[in-house]
Amino acid sequence: MQRLPGLDTLRALAIVSVMLFHSWVVGGMGPHFDPLVRYGWVGVDIFFVLSGFLIGGQVLAPLARGERLALGEFYRRRAYRILPAFAVVLALYQCAPALRELPGIAPWWQFATFTVNLLIDYRSQPAFSHAWSLCVEEHFYLLFPLLAIGLARWHSGRAVAAVALLVVLGGVVLRAGVWWHDTALQPDRNWYIEDLYFPTWCRLDGLFVGVMLAALKTFRLKLWIRAQAHAQAAMWLGVLVTGAALLLFRDRAGLWANAIGWPLLSAGLGLLVFAAAGQNSTLGRWRVPGAGWLAGISYSLYLSHKIAYHLVQVTLGERLHGVAIFVVYAAAALALGSVLHLAVERPFLRLRERRATRRELPAAA
């Protein structure tokens, strides 16, 4: 499932969007790219829905078969996937200040404990702040398996519905309350980033939608198959719903965007992930050249692209003009991301599989 071309296309779209959005650290990519840059933050939400769908499927599959979820194995695989490349980039940011896209950075322990999205002083510690989304993912990896085990033991549809209601409606109420509180007080800090955009409890909508898709596929496979016959319609509906959500986000820090914009956007992206997770839609069938490669190195790209941007900025600076701005910055980011992927991420993934095979052989014997 993870290598379906539609999912690769969405991953590639997500990382390109994020990279365009983060071009603000070097003054933007030029006026021709402004429409793309303005909404590039949506890439993170695509990643959230994809993560909820794929990781949710891994967690729910054994529970649906009535088996015990091997928590240790799950956390081990996630650690091999996430920690090595993250540790290398964090070391670069902490030990080589010249590589930082902006001067100030949060203490290393906030990154190491994946609490930087909850504790950051964004005004004075903006460097490597894009690690906030990785913190949200790590909290999801840690807590969702435990929640899934509990719900599976209860065998209660009402419990699942209660959790769903809490995530969706609770999120709407929480974000609206934070918005009203902070707009009334106007605290002397970047309250939108610190209180609304970064905290895990405000950003559960995309992960929730992805998990619901995984639950449908895992526990109601026949219904999933019947629904996949309408994947093309789901794709176009996803485009419309996502577009409607982005209209709300024209005022990105406004009340309506932050109260109901996030669940609406996540619903639209969820429809696109549903359409991409099969072969019955244009999105699911279309193999975009290079999308698979971009999807494969997307995590390393996400971690390192701001360093690449900064290095180009300080070495070439004002000498770049026109389309050369896009080409050079993109080439630098892709080069550094590829190096990180090939030198760190891929070797640890191979090590993970080798060690998993060694453990399985005695069990099979």
Side-chain angles (χ1 to χ4, degrees):
M1 181 173 61
Q2 295 184 41
R3 301 315 306 171
L4 288 173
L7 298 184
D8 279 345
T9 298
L10 288 178
R11 278 199 194 94
L13 175 63
I15 190 58
V16 170
S17 299
V18 169
M19 290 167 64
L20 282 168
F21 179 65
H22 285 158
S23 67
W24 59 263
V25 301
V26 291
M29 305 299 289
H32 297 297
F33 298 98
D34 282 349
L36 295 175
V37 171
R38 188 177 303 115
Y39 292 103
W41 52 265
V42 174
V44 170
D45 295 273
I46 298 175
F47 279 128
F48 283 162
V49 179
L50 284 169
S51 184
F53 179 54
L54 296 172
I55 301 302
Q58 293 178 23
V59 170
L60 296 175
L63 298 177
R65 297 191 298 265
E67 301 173 1
R68 181 180 64 86
L69 176 61
L71 281 174
E73 178 66 10
F74 173 79
Y75 292 137
R76 184 189 70 84
R77 292 183 66 84
R78 287 291 89 202
Y80 272 105
R81 176 73 176 86
I82 298 298
L83 296 183
F86 177 69
V88 169
V89 175
L90 176 58
L92 291 175
Y93 267 101
Q94 293 290 336
C95 301
L99 298 179
R100 300 173 189 170
E101 68 275 6
L102 292 166
I105 189 169
W108 68 270
W109 60 267
Q110 292 185 15
F111 294 97
T113 57
F114 296 102
T115 56
V116 70
N117 69 318
L118 308 178
L119 303 175
I120 191 171
D121 178 358
Y122 187 74
R123 181 177 295 178
S124 62
Q125 302 170 340
F128 200 26
S129 58
H130 56 289
W132 75 269
S133 62
L134 185 58
C135 297
V136 174
E137 296 252 8
E138 286 296 312
H139 301 160
F140 169 65
Y141 300 153
L142 178 64
L143 297 176
F144 172 67
L146 304 176
L147 176 63
I149 291 172
L151 291 175
R153 287 176 178 173
W154 290 337
H155 296 287
S156 171
R158 291 182 179 178
V160 174
V163 171
L165 195 65
L166 176 65
V167 171
V168 178
L169 295 185
V172 170
V173 172
L174 174 63
R175 288 187 298 267
V178 171
W179 188 92
W180 271 316
H181 176 269
D182 283 358
T183 51
L185 294 181
Q186 287 297 318
D188 186 24
R189 55 188 175 84
N190 194 327
W191 60 265
Y192 171 73
I193 293 292
E194 295 175 11
D195 297 347
L196 279 173
Y197 192 67
F198 278 6
T200 302
W201 43 78
C202 289
R203 302 307 308 275
L204 295 176
D205 301 271
L207 292 165
F208 166 75
V209 168
V211 167
M212 289 297 99
L213 288 174
L216 176 64
K217 189 175 188 295
T218 304
F219 291 97
R220 297 290 185 269
L221 182 58
K222 290 182 179 179
L223 179 58
W224 171 276
I225 293 172
R226 289 199 300 270
Q228 274 290 323
H230 307 285
Q232 186 73 10
M235 181 190 75
W236 289 118
L237 181 59
V239 171
L240 290 175
V241 173
T242 301
L246 293 181
L247 288 177
L248 289 177
F249 279 103
R250 286 180 296 180
D251 180 10
R252 191 175 168 215
L255 173 61
W256 288 108
N258 288 282
I260 64 173
W262 296 115
L264 185 64
L265 176 64
S266 299
L269 296 177
L271 287 167
L272 293 178
V273 169
F274 172 79
Q279 299 289 320
N280 296 313
S281 71
T282 304
L283 179 59
R285 292 189 300 267
W286 186 27
R287 294 185 178 273
V288 178
W293 173 68
L294 275 175
I297 68 170
S298 59
Y299 176 55
S300 291
L301 270 176
Y302 187 80
L303 290 173
S304 63
H305 67 280
K306 283 185 179 178
I307 293 178
Y309 286 175
H310 179 63
L311 291 175
V312 173
Q313 179 74 358
V314 297
T315 54
L316 297 177
E318 300 299 324
R319 286 179 283 179
L320 296 176
H321 302 282
V323 72
I325 298 174
F326 178 85
V327 171
V328 175
Y329 279 102
L334 292 173
L336 183 57
S338 297
V339 169
L340 182 63
H341 175 76
L342 294 173
V344 180
E345 187 181 358
R346 183 182 289 184
F348 275 92
L349 290 176
R350 289 174 175 169
L351 178 63
R352 179 184 73 177
E353 300 310 315
R354 286 199 300 269
R355 291 191 172 179
T357 302
R358 289 172 189 166
R359 276 192 292 272
E360 290 168 0
L361 287 175

